[in-house]
Amino acid sequence: DFQIGPRWRYAGIEVYTPPDAWLTQALEKLWLATKEDRYRDYAYKLGDELLRTTFPPHGNVPPDLRGATFTGKDVRVTPTSSRNEAVVAAARLAREAGDVKRSQRYLEGAQAAAWFGITQQFRPENVHFVRSPEKALGGIRESIVDNSVRIDGVQHAVSGFLGLADMMDPRPAVTGTNGGPS
């Protein structure tokens, strides 16, 4: 309540609340438990802002940037993926609340962000320029120009992938290299 309450208004001006992935996920859980509209509505506010700061998947956007979050200085996987976790949570909330149109809009944004993350994944065809190609396979580099792999970037990306896959109908069939689930 403190995060979404009146402390964000001062002298008649609403103070900007930075998009917060964890808050959005918490608001989804609070709304599911209480069905209090203020939690849903604030999660939507954050979800809308997160989509606003994401390069759209279509239109006049370079293909390498589609779905990425622009943070004001560069385009990186970690902020895109962590914010995508929030967009997925907002999509789940909207679906549960019966707002099909909003849920679909969030899902489209989440798919674009997931695609950006997937394009940064090291695969056999793009791993030849790293120091230890065999160790890098499957890792997700930080950006188009930064080959570092951060555990939080990978974790946020995979969490977003799984949340998105869980919402797909039908769910995608995914197998690991040994034929079992991955």
Side-chain angles (χ1 to χ4, degrees):
D1 289 336
F2 178 73
Q3 291 292 321
I4 67 173
R7 79 180 184 109
W8 297 109
R9 290 187 178 85
Y10 180 75
I13 299 170
E14 187 171 344
V15 177
Y16 175 73
T17 305
D20 188 313
W22 288 342
L23 176 58
T24 308
Q25 292 171 79
L27 290 169
E28 174 202 8
K29 300 298 183 194
L30 282 169
W31 185 83
L32 289 170
T34 68
K35 300 296 192 245
E36 290 188 35
D37 291 347
R38 61 195 170 125
Y39 299 134
R40 180 201 61 212
D41 294 346
Y42 206 81
Y44 287 169
K45 181 179 178 179
L46 293 174
D48 291 345
E49 177 65 15
L50 291 166
L51 287 184
R52 190 186 68 73
T53 59
T54 300
F55 289 109
H58 311 293
N60 195 17
V61 177
D64 289 346
L65 300 180
R66 291 180 182 161
T69 297
F70 181 66
T71 59
K73 58 181 178 177
D74 56 9
V75 175
R76 297 185 345 263
V77 165
T78 302
T80 298
S81 296
S82 62
R83 291 173 184 201
N84 195 36
E85 290 173 298
V87 174
V88 169
R92 279 192 306 259
L93 192 159
R95 180 181 282 179
E96 187 67 28
D99 192 339
V100 176
K101 186 176 179 181
R102 186 184 294 266
S103 179
Q104 186 59 37
R105 186 166 52 88
Y106 290 151
L107 276 175
E108 288 171 7
Q111 287 173 318
W115 184 250
F116 173 73
I118 288 169
T119 64
Q120 302 312 307
Q121 188 171 40
F122 284 121
R123 297 177 302 281
E125 62 270 16
N126 69 0
V127 76
H128 60 277
F129 52 85
V130 298
R131 188 175 313 135
S132 300
E134 64 285 345
K135 291 180 181 178
L137 282 173
I140 300 173
R141 62 185 174 183
E142 188 55 26
S143 75
I144 315 169
V145 296
D146 181 352
N147 289 327
S148 62
V149 176
R150 293 178 39 176
I151 188 65
D152 59 331
V154 174
Q155 178 272 317
H156 288 301
V158 170
S159 178
F161 298 161
L162 293 173
L164 183 60
D166 194 45
M167 290 194 68
M168 303 307 292
D169 189 30
R171 288 186 183 171
V174 179
T175 59
T177 57
N178 64 357
S182 56

